Amino acid sequence: MAYDENQLQLPASFHALYLDGQQRLTAPLEDVQARYELCEDLAQVLVGQTEGLVHDTLQDQRELLGRFHEALLAPEAGLNPAEARWVVQRLAELVDWPAEAAPG
């Protein structure tokens, strides 16, 4: 889905977070785009942390993603629960872990 002047590509999985039951956006498009950029950037930053933690502590993929998810649910993270889940699922995708490793 390409949008107006900046041609930002919103993945369907993120776009769906902001759709109501009649497939209408529940927030202004500019806000959804900004939230997507924040969430994608956060997932990218967490890639390095994930790789370091796995090598240093040999933590289980599901356990590690669950810990990130819990941290992202904290109010100070600034994400809503759907965004927190999306970031962790995107992180799993970026580090090439199975989808079932991410919280659901």
Side-chain angles (χ1 to χ4, degrees):
M1 291 174 212
Y3 293 103
D4 44 287
E5 68 279 349
N6 68 8
Q7 296 296 303
L8 178 66
Q9 294 279 332
L10 283 178
S13 61
F14 193 86
H15 188 254
L17 302 181
Y18 286 92
L19 294 177
D20 65 14
Q22 298 183 343
Q23 302 300 303
R24 292 181 303 220
L25 282 175
T26 59
L29 179 58
E30 299 79 30
D31 293 350
V32 176
Q33 289 172 323
R35 297 303 294 175
Y36 166 70
E37 289 179 28
L38 170 74
C39 290
E40 178 65 25
D41 288 349
L42 184 54
Q44 294 287 340
V45 166
L46 291 175
V47 167
Q49 289 186 358
T50 300
E51 292 170 347
L53 287 170
V54 167
H55 292 303
D56 292 345
T57 64
L58 299 174
Q59 288 192 20
D60 175 76
Q61 295 169 346
R62 187 167 185 75
E63 177 187 343
L64 186 56
L65 291 174
R67 288 176 149 194
F68 278 130
H69 188 241
E70 285 179 30
L72 293 172
L73 288 172
E76 55 271 11
L79 303 179
N80 67 45
E83 290 171 336
R85 186 175 55 254
W86 187 91
V87 168
V88 173
Q89 289 171 339
R90 176 68 175 137
L91 174 59
E93 179 182 314
L94 290 169
V95 294
D96 200 27
W97 287 353
E100 57 271 7

